Amino acid sequence: MTEEQIKEENAEIARRYRDLLLNTYRNLNEDDKKLIRRAFDLAVDAHQHQRRKSGEPYIYHPIAVAKIIADEIGLGATSIAAALMHDVVEDTEYTLEDMEAMFGKKIAKIIDGLTKISVLNNQELSIQSENFRKLLLTLSEDVRVILVKIADRLHNMRTLDAMPQHKQLKIASETVFIYAPLAHRMGLYNIKSELEDLSLKYTQPENYADIKKKLKESAEDRKRYIQKFSDSISDRLDEEGLEYQIKGRSKSIHSINRKMQTQGVSFDQVYDKFAIRIIYRSDKKNEKFIAWKIYSIVTDIYKPNPSRLRDWITQPKPTGYESLHITVMGDDGKWVEVQIRSERMDEIAEKGIAAHYKYKENYKVEDSKVDEWISQVREILENQDIQDTTEFIDNFKLNLYTKEIYVFTPMGELISLPRGASSLDFAYAIHTNIGDTCLGAKVNGKLYPLSHELRSGDQVEIITSKNQQPKLDWLDYVTTSRAKSKIKAALNAEKRQSAEEGKEILERKLRHLRLTANEKTINNMVSFFNERTSQDLFYHVLTGKISNADIKRFAEKNSGVVGFINRFRSKSIGKSKEEYVMPPSGKLDLIVFGDEEKKLDYTLANCCNPIPGDKVFGFVTVNRGIKVHKLTCPNAIELQANYAYRVQKAKWVDSSQITFRTEIIIKGIDRMGLVKDITDVLSNNLNIDMKSINFSSEDGIFNGNILVSVANKSHLDSVMQRLKNVEGVTKINRKQD
């Protein structure tokens, strides 16, 4: 680089730093500014020789992250300093000990948490792994770690164009999978929406570009409509002497796309593409009164939709969000969402968790619903015995994104639960012991079972018995992570005790068969019986699932003459001529199952390592999905003899030649000859194999379901486009499984 270019870059770094200090949500005193300056100087020094993928100086990134923290999330000096130095320990020679010596334990701890997350992300492992649990554990240590990480991810998403395509897809998928829900749960709705939109840009670029273009084209029309709507209510608000402002807000691209996909509608058929926000000035005492006064004024002018009233002022969301939402019929027959909130409520809606902690640098506020949620997360993460991480993530996300219901205790206390929660979820929300001993529930005075789904407004009284204990089928009754983790913990404790008894029984039986119950023998038995752990093995011995005959069969295979013969035969079969037959010509790259040749998820068995062309079969395991074995596998005879009901017919095929069945749903205006026109399009023009067809008509509207075989998605898109052009067809979409 030339001296002139270096000067220009240094000037740009200084400009960005000044911009950071000028745009902060919190007021910074002189000590705050000195702390931030020290962090900035260290970051500049540490990253001076580093460049981003785009070619720009690396220091631009931590400054941008710090600016998001300072302005968009709204945290204070400690978090800003940590954001400036968030990559220092990971990417440079500075150590965590250096950070603690120069900036103290608080900042060092935040940087340590961020470094751990970065290390996990750089391992190229799926976010759906044990690493995800470790990432979330940082939330229980210091919530600012996750907030800085969200800011880091936001800036990375804003600058993702410089990354290769496979990296873009991985990072975008992770973002929408976990970081957007986390931002939502922290009350950072603007950031959540931007993360979702940017993720869509890389995961579904065509949909993103198309919706963005159409929003831009219709921007002027929306602006005029919002202005007209605002003018119609401004006079009435002025008459009441209210201080207020009215804003229009477009729906996010991600939200519009989701509505188009789930409802099978076009962009023009998404009617609520914007919302109108009325923000009023009030002291805390009169906030609720003024909100309902504005509600009365709006609904005097425009007819409301009663089913779309959302009162989050009386009962705020767990994030602290407060607002009154109504949907009214505006001009030209358009539904318009109106959000009514005070300036304080709007500040919380914009800044989320930071607005709660505005004057609390230690970020510990009593009676905060956010703190309650973080405490629940900590309890789940630290106490849950996670065996299926994917299930854990699904449960966790459910608690991030789900809509809520509000139910009452017998004493009138209000409890928030996710929609779909049962009486048993309610019991565990009150106390673990109440959940463990729950027999049933009285809901609004009537007796209901544990599985009864609660609704907002229900009053629930739990009936308990000291003789009651959690049961396995309880897991089918609950939706909350808390309830599931508590039930599993109780079941595992009981199972561990039973496993100890089973272990003693197994040791006696093995001694009788002249086998030693050492670690090698137990590991061999775990593999032989396809168990997940030795505890499962012992438990199944106790319950009789593994019988005396089964144990004897294992002993025969692993000792004496019979075992020797079996091992010899297994090795011989493994080298049979059939294994070396050349595979048929063509590209064999996919295994299909059953007579219908279904495409299912599977893994190849390690015991025989099938390759394309081998004759194979599928075996449905208890916990690991379908395993594919060769017909000549040493374990084939045993599996097919003892577990025939779990064996599936399978074969290798060329994936490019396989067809897939899917159902097309058609709606429209009925007329003479419509069915013939539709079937002609399919049979004559597109050579489609129709498996079934069903049409019905009522009051001049027809509904059709057609099951077809297609080669791939492009083929299906072509079919649907041709059907869309048939006269009378108004809506067509693919049935979602």
Side-chain angles (χ1 to χ4, degrees):
M1 289 181 63
T2 65
E3 189 174 334
E4 185 63 30
Q5 288 174 320
I6 293 173
K7 285 183 179 179
E8 288 178 3
E9 281 191 354
N10 288 338
E12 178 61 18
I13 292 169
R15 185 195 68 77
R16 295 187 183 207
Y17 175 70
R18 287 193 299 272
D19 186 46
L20 161 67
L21 292 178
L22 286 172
N23 295 282
T24 60
Y25 172 68
R26 306 274 294 278
N27 293 322
L28 302 175
N29 58 36
E30 287 305 311
D31 289 340
D32 291 336
K33 291 176 182 177
K34 287 177 182 177
L35 171 63
I36 294 169
R37 180 69 199 202
R38 285 170 54 218
F40 170 72
D41 289 340
L42 185 141
V44 169
D45 176 66
H47 296 300
Q48 61 180 314
H49 301 302
Q50 291 178 299
R51 296 262 160 185
R52 301 197 80 205
K53 293 286 185 183
S54 60
E56 64 186 18
Y58 191 87
I59 189 62
Y60 286 3
H61 170 65
I63 294 174
V65 173
K67 190 172 187 301
I68 293 169
I69 284 293
D71 183 21
E72 297 179 59
I73 295 180
L75 300 182
T78 300
S79 300
I80 296 170
L84 284 166
M85 300 184 292
H86 75 273
D87 281 335
V88 165
V89 172
E90 180 193 357
D91 293 343
T92 75
E93 294 181 356
Y94 284 95
T95 66
L96 196 61
E97 289 72 22
D98 295 333
M99 295 294 102
E100 185 172 335
M102 289 185 282
F103 294 93
K105 289 185 178 180
K106 190 184 294 183
I107 289 178
K109 188 175 182 181
I110 297 173
I111 294 173
D112 183 35
L114 291 162
T115 303
K116 288 175 182 175
I117 296 173
S118 296
V119 169
L120 296 175
N121 286 347
N122 289 338
Q123 290 176 349
E124 296 296 330
L125 297 172
S126 167
I127 199 75
Q128 294 194 51
S129 66
E130 173 63 13
N131 289 330
F132 173 66
R133 180 174 179 269
K134 294 174 184 174
L135 182 156
L136 289 174
L137 276 170
T138 62
L139 179 66
S140 66
E141 295 170 3
D142 193 320
V143 67
R144 288 170 295 188
V145 176
I146 290 294
L147 292 170
V148 174
K149 186 58 194 174
I150 288 171
D152 177 43
R153 181 52 63 106
L154 177 58
H155 185 249
N156 283 334
M157 288 300 297
R158 287 173 175 174
T159 56
L160 200 57
D161 283 337
M163 301 294 283
Q165 187 176 6
H166 73 280
K167 284 272 192 179
Q168 291 175 345
L169 189 59
K170 176 183 182 292
I171 293 170
S173 299
E174 285 182 0
T175 298
V176 78
F177 182 79
I178 189 60
Y179 288 105
L182 276 174
H184 172 88
R185 198 57 183 77
M186 295 297 171
L188 304 170
Y189 299 112
N190 292 337
I191 288 177
K192 167 247 186 186
S193 294
E194 186 176 354
L195 287 173
E196 288 177 335
D197 283 358
L198 290 170
S199 296
L200 188 69
K201 178 181 177 181
Y202 296 102
T203 57
Q204 299 181 41
E206 293 178 1
N207 290 14
Y208 175 85
D210 184 52
I211 295 171
K212 185 178 181 180
K213 179 184 176 184
K214 288 175 177 174
L215 280 174
K216 188 175 181 180
E217 290 171 350
S218 58
E220 284 301 318
D221 290 338
R222 284 199 311 277
K223 187 177 179 181
R224 281 193 293 270
Y225 191 92
I226 290 169
Q227 187 61 50
K228 183 179 178 182
F229 187 95
S230 302
D231 290 344
S232 65
I233 58 177
S234 291
D235 291 342
R236 290 285 304 277
L237 294 174
D238 291 340
E239 287 174 11
E240 295 293 334
L242 298 174
E243 295 183 63
Y244 66 92
Q245 56 177 318
I246 300 177
K247 298 178 181 178
R249 175 188 62 86
S250 291
K251 203 178 190 77
S252 72
I253 296 174
H254 178 271
S255 296
I256 293 173
N257 181 69
R258 185 175 60 219
K259 182 157 285 192
M260 290 169 63
Q261 299 288 336
T262 56
Q263 298 184 3
V265 297
S266 67
F267 177 85
D268 293 331
Q269 291 172 309
V270 178
Y271 297 116
D272 55 341
K273 289 192 278 285
F274 63 88
I276 287 172
R277 189 173 294 161
I278 302 173
I279 303 166
Y280 59 91
R281 180 167 293 173
S282 170
D283 56 23
K284 188 75 169 66
K285 180 181 178 181
N286 293 303
E287 275 184 327
K288 188 182 293 188
F289 173 76
I290 295 176
W292 286 104
K293 177 185 280 191
I294 295 173
Y295 166 85
S296 178
I297 291 170
V298 173
T299 53
D300 278 349
I301 300 171
Y302 296 106
K303 295 296 181 185
N305 182 340
S307 66
R308 295 291 297 169
L309 173 63
R310 300 289 182 267
D311 178 10
W312 284 305
I313 293 180
T314 304
Q315 181 58 44
K317 290 186 177 183
T319 57
Y321 179 87
E322 297 174 72
S323 189
L324 187 61
H325 290 197
I326 54 174
T327 300
V328 299
M329 180 63 74
D331 298 324
D332 304 325
K334 292 183 180 179
W335 288 110
V336 180
E337 182 182 78
V338 182
Q339 301 171 356
I340 302 168
R341 61 178 67 153
S342 69
E343 290 177 335
R344 181 191 65 82
M345 297 174 193
D346 189 58
E347 187 174 17
I348 290 173
E350 292 291 320
K351 300 300 181 186
I353 195 171
H356 292 287
Y357 300 153
K358 187 173 182 179
Y359 305 107
K360 301 285 184 179
E361 182 58 30
N362 62 1
Y363 296 86
K364 299 294 181 185
V365 177
E366 296 299 325
D367 301 322
S368 165
K369 290 196 172 187
V370 178
D371 287 328
E372 288 177 17
W373 178 76
I374 290 171
S375 296
Q376 291 173 13
V377 171
R378 181 185 298 115
E379 182 180 6
I380 292 167
L381 292 171
E382 293 176 346
N383 298 331
Q384 185 167 336
D385 180 16
I386 300 170
Q387 294 180 337
D388 186 342
T389 309
T390 304
E391 179 189 350
F392 164 71
I393 294 170
D394 289 341
N395 291 339
F396 187 84
K397 284 195 69 187
L398 175 70
N399 284 268
L400 284 176
Y401 253 155
T402 190
K403 294 183 178 179
E404 291 166 318
I405 60 170
Y406 300 94
V407 294
F408 294 89
T409 68
M411 301 303 294
E413 182 185 352
L414 199 60
I415 302 293
S416 170
L417 291 168
R419 183 178 294 177
S422 66
S423 304
L424 192 54
D425 283 303
F426 176 86
Y428 276 106
I430 300 298
H431 194 277
T432 301
N433 188 52
I434 292 176
D436 286 345
T437 57
C438 180
L439 276 177
K442 283 186 178 180
V443 181
N444 304 323
K446 291 184 179 180
L447 190 62
Y448 285 95
L450 303 178
S451 57
H452 176 69
E453 184 176 326
L454 301 176
R455 300 182 181 278
S456 276
D458 284 345
Q459 188 171 31
V460 186
E461 178 185 354
I462 298 298
I463 302 167
T464 62
S465 168
K466 62 181 180 180
N467 297 321
Q468 178 70 297
Q469 288 183 331
K471 298 176 177 61
L472 186 61
D473 59 358
W474 282 17
L475 292 171
D476 298 328
Y477 303 160
V478 295
T479 61
T480 59
S481 291
R482 175 183 173 82
K484 287 188 177 183
S485 66
K486 294 299 182 183
I487 293 168
K488 286 181 178 179
L491 292 174
N492 285 338
E494 182 183 347
K495 186 175 178 180
R496 279 193 295 272
Q497 185 177 348
S498 298
E500 287 299 317
E501 298 176 33
K503 183 180 180 182
E504 294 178 10
I505 294 171
L506 180 60
E507 287 173 346
R508 288 199 303 270
K509 291 181 177 181
L510 289 176
R511 278 198 303 272
H512 180 71
L513 294 168
R514 298 185 179 180
L515 283 177
T516 305
N518 54 28
E519 185 178 352
K520 181 179 179 182
T521 302
I522 298 301
N523 288 340
N524 287 340
M525 292 191 79
V526 169
S527 177
F528 182 83
F529 291 112
N530 291 314
E531 296 289 357
R532 195 164 48 181
T533 65
S534 59
Q535 185 184 93
D536 291 336
L537 173 72
F538 301 144
Y539 182 74
H540 290 149
V541 168
L542 177 71
T543 59
K545 183 177 179 180
I546 297 177
S547 65
N548 290 340
D550 293 329
I551 297 172
K552 187 175 181 181
R553 187 161 45 83
F554 166 80
E556 289 173 347
K557 277 209 166 193
N558 288 269
S559 65
V561 177
V562 176
F564 173 79
I565 292 171
N566 285 337
R567 287 195 294 273
F568 177 80
R569 186 169 61 185
S570 295
K571 291 178 180 178
S572 300
I573 292 173
K575 294 182 179 179
S576 66
K577 290 182 180 179
E578 188 173 358
E579 185 173 349
Y580 298 102
V581 173
M582 290 294 291
S585 60
K587 183 185 69 172
L588 300 177
D589 60 349
L590 177 69
I591 296 175
V592 292
F593 299 87
D595 293 327
E596 295 180 357
E597 298 188 359
K598 292 182 179 179
K599 183 183 175 185
L600 303 172
D601 291 336
Y602 63 89
T603 54
L604 299 177
N606 293 328
C607 53
C608 56
N609 295 315
I611 62 173
D614 284 339
K615 292 184 178 180
V616 293
F617 69 95
F619 182 76
V620 182
T621 66
V622 177
N623 298 303
R624 300 170 187 171
I626 298 175
K627 288 274 189 182
V628 174
H629 297 259
K630 290 192 299 188
L631 286 175
T632 56
C633 174
N635 298 318
I637 295 174
E638 177 192 339
L639 294 175
Q640 292 170 342
N642 296 317
Y643 306 98
Y645 63 97
R646 286 158 62 181
V647 171
Q648 290 203 347
K649 182 179 176 181
K651 70 175 182 178
W652 288 95
V653 296
D654 181 351
S655 62
S656 64
Q657 301 300 316
I658 196 169
T659 59
F660 301 91
R661 291 189 178 189
T662 190
E663 190 171 348
I664 299 173
I665 300 173
I666 306 176
K667 294 185 179 182
I669 302 169
D670 198 8
R671 62 174 174 81
M672 290 289 291
L674 178 64
V675 174
K676 180 179 182 300
D677 289 347
I678 289 174
T679 54
D680 283 350
V681 166
L682 294 172
S683 301
N684 301 335
N685 300 327
L686 299 171
N687 296 315
I688 289 292
D689 182 13
M690 286 185 288
K691 299 298 182 184
S692 68
I693 184 168
N694 179 43
F695 281 90
S696 62
S697 178
E698 185 176 355
D699 297 331
I701 302 298
F702 83 87
N703 291 277
N705 297 71
I706 308 173
L707 184 64
V708 298
S709 287
V710 294
N712 49 45
K713 188 176 183 300
S714 297
H715 189 195
L716 177 64
D717 290 342
S718 175
V719 171
M720 293 175 67
Q721 187 57 49
R722 294 289 289 274
L723 289 173
K724 195 178 292 184
N725 294 331
V726 173
E727 182 185 351
V729 173
T730 59
K731 184 177 178 182
I732 179 168
N733 57 287
R734 174 186 176 188
K735 183 178 179 181
Q736 300 298 319
D737 295 328

